[in-house]
Amino acid sequence: MAYPGTASTVTPLAPVTHGLKPVPDPDDLLTRPFWAAAAEERLVLQRCSGCAAYHHPPVGVCPDCLSDDLAFEPVDGRGRVYSFVVVRDQRLPAFDSLVPYLVASVALDAAPHVTLATNLPGTGIDEVRIGMPVEVEFEEIAPGVRIPQFHATDEVTR
Ligand SMILES: [Zn+2]
């Protein structure tokens, strides 16, 4: 779609889909290690060898120290809800039956400045709160394709 006064020269990328739901692009060089680990139900983050900063989504060059020496390493899957929205009007038919649903960003305890986008399976839209403790789980969205999702955990066990 072109905005008034602009030329439409950019072709939007079509999402890689399985059925109607989008799935990660297995050929994306930057994110491939993240999704490969998720397929094995492991949570990894990209980390800079120069300054030890975590980055997500992955980057080609560290924005903090400009190093390109970046590698993925396992991280603990516990964190807290940093922010959330309730989706009531969405555009993909595959998600029609889920409306209203939650989309949250979770800050990991191991890397508090990194947030991951997630749904909150098992948490109702009236139950979610900022700071709520959560832990990663993996949802298989297509054969062999898993995405990290976070579910609420008991505050007492943290
Ligand atoms: Zn760095």
Side-chain angles (χ1 to χ4, degrees):
M1 176 175 103
Y3 291 99
T6 64
S8 179
T9 57
V10 176
T11 303
L13 296 175
V16 177
T17 61
H18 178 81
L20 296 173
K21 289 185 176 181
V23 297
D25 179 357
D27 296 324
D28 184 274
L29 294 177
L30 279 177
T31 61
R32 183 186 301 163
F34 179 83
W35 297 119
E40 299 172 352
E41 301 195 356
R42 296 183 299 112
L43 185 63
V44 298
L45 286 182
Q46 186 189 52
R47 192 170 200 184
C48 175
S49 299
C51 71
Y54 288 103
H55 299 292
H56 187 81
V59 294
V61 174
C62 177
D64 296 331
C65 74
L66 303 181
S67 171
D68 63 357
D69 188 6
L70 302 153
F72 287 80
E73 65 178 49
V75 291
D76 186 277
R78 290 177 293 179
R80 293 186 182 271
V81 172
Y82 178 78
S83 182
F84 67 91
V85 296
V86 178
V87 177
R88 297 179 190 278
D89 180 22
Q90 57 76 39
R91 307 299 169 167
L92 293 176
F95 296 93
D96 280 348
S97 65
L98 303 176
V99 173
Y101 62 91
L102 291 166
V103 175
S105 55
V106 164
L108 295 174
D109 292 348
H113 71 286
V114 171
T115 58
L116 285 88
T118 181
N119 301 121
L120 296 169
T123 299
I125 61 173
D126 296 329
E127 300 169 324
V128 64
R129 61 180 169 75
I130 302 296
M132 185 173 79
V134 293
E135 186 165 10
V136 73
E137 64 186 23
F138 293 88
E139 178 184 351
E140 187 168 33
I141 60 169
V145 179
R146 291 180 178 84
I147 61 171
Q149 295 274 42
F150 287 80
H151 66 271
T153 59
D154 188 352
E155 184 82 51
V156 175
T157 61
R158 298 295 299 272

